[in-house]
Structures are given as C-alpha cells and as structure tokens.
Amino acid sequence: MDELDRFYMQAALEEALEAYEVGEVPIGAVVVRRGEIIGKGHNRRETWKDPTAHAELLAIREACQQLGGWRLTESTLYVTIEPCSMCAGAIVLARIPRLVYGAQDPKAGAVDSLFDLVRREDLNHRVEVTSGVLEDECRALMREFFQELRGKS
Amino acid sequence: MDELDRFYMQAALEEALEAYEVGEVPIGAVVVRRGEIIGKGHNRRETWKDPTAHAELLAIREACQQLGGWRLTESTLYVTIEPCSMCAGAIVLARIPRLVYGAQDPKAGAVDSLFDLVRREDLNHRVEVTSGVLEDECRALMREFFQELRGKS
C-alpha cells in the first residue's frame, strides 16, 4: 500500500468525520495536485437540501476554483467510498487522471460495483483507479453511522 | 407530441439560448412541478470554470432550494440534450420521476446513446423517459454553435 495514498485518504476520512458529526452519511473527499490538497468536501445532502452535494462534487468544485479552470489534470481524487454515477461522471468531466477510493458501495458504486463509468473505451477520458486504501476505516465509519441511525429509529 | 411538453421544452430552449449568447455549449433545462417551473439552468462550465455546472444540475439545485428539500417528487426535468452520466446520476439521486429531453447526444448520452443509467433494475429509483421533444430545434442550436466555433478557430 502506497504511503502517500494512505496519507491523503486519511485527509478524506477527516472530511467524512465532519459529515458524521452533523448527521450526514459519512463520506469525504480531497483533490490532490502536485502534493497539495487543492479541494476538500464532505457529503452535505441533508444540511444543504441538495441531492448533488456529494463529497466528490464539492471537492472537485473547490479544486477548480483554486486552479481557475475546469480541467483537473495532474490531480488525484481521494474519496472514502466508491463514487456513484453522478460523481463518476463528474470525475470524467473534470478530466481527473486518477481516482483512489476506500471501500466499495455495492448498492450504487459506478466504478467497480454496479458498472464502470470511468474506464470506458467510448468516453473521451479514462481514469486510473486504485481501490481499498484504508478500506476498513472507511467502511467502519459508514457501518457505525447506519447502526446509530437504526438505533435512533 | 404532447403540447405541454413542447411548452416546457421551449422554456429549456430559452435557457439554452442564454448559454449560447455567452459562448457556452447551448444546453438548457427546467424542472416543472404541478405546472410550475421551479428550477432553471443552463450550461456555465466556461464562465464559472466548473466542470459540474451543467444545465440539469443547476436546475435541480434551484428546484430543491425552492422546495426546501432534496427529493424532487412529482417533478419533470426538461433538458434540450440527452443527459450525460453525471446528470443522469443526479436525476436518479433527486428521485425525479420523469425526464423529457430533446436531441440525443451520441458521444456522451447516458440515457439512450452510450448506456441507460436512469431505468436500471439495480437502482433504487427509475425514471420515465420521453425523448425527441422539439428535437430539431434543440439539435439545430448545438450545430449552429459548433459551426460558429469552428469558423472562429
């Protein structure tokens, strides 16, 4: 396991914890370019009443603002959970060359679980994928969140 | 052809024209609920330097703000061009029951062209789709835009 990947995934996990603390499904993401974190985000669907406020989209938008352009070349997106269709699509649109994620999402994952939207021959951009980085930590946070939620209801 | 569908697609076309006028790829969208337009959007990728600033996402976000919640039940999204993966994913996430689009996008369409992300058995929400509404007008606007672009370069 690459030490740098673990380091940046830890930063994504810290974002996920921020989501957890405000009662959001705990998913976090960071965009890294030339060793620097240029975008961060965590899920804010409930607080913002916005179905598109996923960690990845917010991190991508912040990174583009930081760079002053919409192409995130030379960048890696780290996210704690496998991206859904919307986020996988956004990664391709932003021309991100590399995606690193923690745990799979068997219900909605659009990279390895349900289908693969980021390495298709028929798209004009393809993404290199590394999965399973800090997988146990990423999954444990989700499990804890949903157990707590079920306990409440 | 349903007269109401043509009426709301005309509103989406007006959004597309606004994109055209500022040099953006001319795609427009509106969200309609109980006969009222509650969200509008047009592509702003270049002006905002944001790869996620597609017409559909902006219209969805505005509609959710308007409603005060992230579930766009009883709503129809009208968009001039077939949605890409990101936008198709967002339509499912927002639980939009119906999508109406104008012209297909053979290069990136994620509803009928490359694949179908909105009517999958394995997703927890499926969307009813109507296509081809004001198709010629929607496609003509795109063609004109790209011809003008090639003329300039």
Side-chain angles (χ1 to χ4, degrees):
Chain A
M1 183 78 65
D2 187 276
E3 200 51 49
L4 269 177
D5 279 349
R6 294 170 64 95
F7 177 80
Y8 292 120
M9 187 59 81
Q10 191 59 50
L13 264 168
E14 280 161 30
E15 283 292 314
L17 260 176
E18 286 194 42
Y20 191 112
E21 280 160 13
V22 296
E24 295 274 8
V25 174
I27 302 176
V30 298
V31 174
V32 176
R33 185 169 183 270
R34 298 180 181 175
E36 192 193 345
I37 293 177
I38 60 169
K40 293 180 181 189
H42 57 266
N43 178 28
R44 292 176 189 263
R45 184 180 66 172
E46 305 295 336
T47 26
W48 288 1
K49 317 266 185 229
D50 179 354
T52 74
H54 280 195
E56 299 94 315
L57 251 69
L58 304 184
I60 287 171
R61 279 216 289 273
E62 190 174 285
C64 290
Q65 281 183 334
Q66 190 80 6
L67 278 188
W70 62 261
R71 286 178 192 84
L72 293 178
T73 50
E74 297 181 74
S75 300
T76 300
L77 181 102
Y78 291 83
V79 58
T80 56
I81 301 293
E82 182 187 359
C84 72
S85 296
M86 177 185 71
C87 294
I91 289 164
V92 171
L93 289 172
R95 311 282 193 269
I96 295 176
R98 185 168 178 245
L99 162 69
V100 180
Y101 75 82
Q104 289 195 356
D105 178 355
K107 281 189 183 160
V111 175
D112 289 306
S113 295
L114 296 190
F115 28 83
D116 176 6
L117 293 181
V118 302
R119 287 163 294 192
R120 291 181 61 98
E121 295 278 324
D122 47 7
L123 292 177
N124 63 353
H125 175 74
R126 276 179 293 282
V127 181
E128 185 199 322
V129 179
T130 304
S131 61
V133 176
L134 300 187
E135 181 177 356
D136 293 344
E137 291 88 334
C138 293
R139 185 180 291 121
L141 196 59
M142 291 287 272
R143 190 172 293 149
E144 203 174 318
F145 177 82
F146 285 109
Q147 275 171 355
E148 204 176 297
L149 204 66
R150 275 191 294 269
K152 277 179 189 158
S153 64
Chain B
M1 184 77 65
D2 187 277
E3 202 51 48
L4 270 177
D5 280 350
R6 293 170 65 95
F7 177 81
Y8 293 119
M9 187 59 82
Q10 191 59 49
L13 264 168
E14 279 162 31
E15 283 292 315
L17 260 175
E18 286 194 41
Y20 191 112
E21 279 160 14
V22 296
E24 295 274 8
V25 175
I27 302 176
V30 297
V31 174
V32 176
R33 186 170 183 269
R34 300 180 182 175
E36 193 193 346
I37 293 177
I38 59 169
K40 292 179 181 189
H42 56 266
N43 179 29
R44 293 177 188 263
R45 183 179 68 173
E46 305 295 336
T47 24
W48 288 2
K49 318 265 186 230
D50 178 355
T52 74
H54 281 194
E56 299 95 314
L57 251 70
L58 304 184
I60 288 172
R61 279 214 291 274
E62 191 173 285
C64 291
Q65 280 182 335
Q66 190 80 4
L67 279 188
W70 61 262
R71 285 177 192 85
L72 292 178
T73 49
E74 300 180 71
S75 300
T76 300
L77 181 103
Y78 291 83
V79 58
T80 56
I81 301 293
E82 182 186 1
C84 72
S85 296
M86 177 183 71
C87 294
I91 289 164
V92 171
L93 289 172
R95 311 283 194 271
I96 294 175
R98 185 167 177 244
L99 163 70
V100 180
Y101 74 82
Q104 289 196 355
D105 179 355
K107 281 191 184 161
V111 175
D112 289 305
S113 296
L114 295 190
F115 27 85
D116 175 6
L117 293 182
V118 302
R119 286 163 295 192
R120 291 181 61 98
E121 294 279 323
D122 48 7
L123 292 176
N124 63 353
H125 176 75
R126 276 179 293 282
V127 180
E128 186 200 320
V129 179
T130 303
S131 62
V133 176
L134 300 186
E135 180 177 357
D136 292 345
E137 292 86 335
C138 294
R139 183 179 292 120
L141 197 59
M142 291 286 273
R143 190 173 294 146
E144 203 173 319
F145 177 83
F146 287 109
Q147 275 172 354
E148 203 175 299
L149 204 68
R150 275 191 295 269
K152 277 179 190 159
S153 64

